[in-house]
C-alpha cells in the first residue's frame, strides 16, 4: 500500500502530523521569545576583560563598558572558538559620550533619537584587538575601516579556519 492510499484510508495520520508540526512551531516561537538560545548558558551574561583580553569573565550584559572591575578598567570581550579553543576576538568599549548616549537609549521609551543611535554605533564606540597595547593601546572608532578589519576575526594560529562567535 502506497502513501496516498494510506492517507485516503487513515486521514487522521495527516491531521496528527500537521498538528505535531504546528506544536513544534509554537514551542520554537515561545523558546525564541522567552527562553534561552541554543548553546547559551545565560542570556543575561556577556564576556568582559580587564587585562587586555588575556582572560575574560562573565558579567551582566546590561553593563556598558568601560566600567571598573577589581580596580581596573573592564571592556567587552567578544569570544570566538577555533579548533576547539576559545579566545578573545576583539575588545569593545564606549567613549564617555558614547556611553552616555547608550545609557540614554536604554532608559528611553519610544523612537530613539537618530543622533544617539549614530553615536552608539559609530564614533562613540571603539574596538581593538586583544594584546595591542593595554587600555591606552590602539582603539579604532566603530565607524572606520580599521574597526571593520578588527572585527573580521581570524584564527589565532594563522590558519584558514573560520572562528565561530560564542554567545555574543
Amino acid at each position: 500500500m502506497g502513501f496516498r492510499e494510506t492517507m485516503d484510508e487513515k486521514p487522521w495520520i495527516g491531521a496528527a502530523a500537521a498538528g505535531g508540526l504546528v506544536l513544534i512551531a509554537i514551542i520554537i516561537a515561545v523558546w525564541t521569545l522567552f527562553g534561552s538560545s541554543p548553546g547559551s548558558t545565560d542570556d543575561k551574561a556577556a564576556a568582559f576583560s580587564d587585562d587586555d583580553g588575556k582572560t575574560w569573565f562573565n558579567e551582566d550584559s546590561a553593563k556598558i563598558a568601560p566600567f571598573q572591575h577589581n580596580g581596573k578598567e573592564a571592556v567587552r570581550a567578544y569570544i570566538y572558538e577555533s579548533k576547539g579553543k576559545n579566545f578573545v576576538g576583539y575588545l569593545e568599549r564606549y567613549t564617555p559620550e558614547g556611553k552616555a548616549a547608550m545609557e540614554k537609549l536604554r532608559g528611553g521609551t519610544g523612537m530613539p533619537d537618530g543622533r544617539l543611535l549614530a553615536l552608539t554605533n559609530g564614533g562613540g564606540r571603539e574596538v581593538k584587538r586583544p594584546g595591542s597595547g593595554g587600555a591606552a593601546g590602539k582603539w579604532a572608532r566603530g565607524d572606520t575601516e580599521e574597526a571593520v578589519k578588527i572585527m573580521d576575526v581570524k584564527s589565532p594560529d594563522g590558519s584558514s579556519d573560520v572562528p565561530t562567535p560564542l554567545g555574543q
Side-chain angles (χ1 to χ4, degrees):
M1 178 182 304
F3 177 76
R4 188 174 230 18
E5 291 83 19
T6 301
M7 294 307 294
D8 286 341
E9 289 181 17
K10 301 176 183 174
W12 62 270
I13 293 175
L21 290 174
V22 168
L23 180 62
I24 290 170
I26 290 170
I27 290 170
I28 290 172
V30 169
W31 186 17
T32 301
L33 290 172
F34 302 107
S36 61
S37 58
S40 172
T41 57
D42 184 358
D43 283 342
K44 296 184 181 187
F48 293 90
S49 178
D50 61 11
D51 61 3
D52 201 33
K54 292 180 194 119
T55 62
W56 60 88
F57 59 92
N58 287 331
E59 187 65 65
D60 185 351
S61 63
K63 285 204 169 191
I64 302 169
F67 59 87
Q68 288 296 306
H69 178 262
N70 293 334
K72 298 187 266 183
E73 181 179 89
V75 296
R76 181 80 185 259
Y78 288 84
I79 311 303
Y80 287 76
E81 184 272 330
S82 178
K83 296 183 178 180
K85 294 184 180 182
N86 295 348
F87 65 97
V88 175
Y90 65 94
L91 302 168
E92 175 189 71
R93 71 178 182 188
Y94 287 92
T95 64
E97 298 82 15
K99 188 172 181 175
M102 189 64 141
E103 289 167 347
K104 190 171 182 181
L105 277 174
R106 287 190 178 171
T109 58
M111 184 63 96
D113 182 336
R115 292 171 294 170
L116 291 176
L117 288 173
L119 190 57
T120 59
N121 291 320
R125 182 175 152 265
E126 299 175 319
V127 296
K128 79 170 192 161
R129 287 192 174 91
S132 60
K138 189 172 171 154
W139 289 92
R141 280 177 42 132
D143 59 355
T144 64
E145 176 119 2
E146 182 64 25
V148 172
K149 289 178 186 174
I150 289 169
M151 293 184 292
D152 182 21
V153 178
K154 308 285 187 219
S155 184
D157 67 2
S159 72
S160 62
D161 184 51
V162 178
T164 304
L166 301 178
Q168 316 294 325

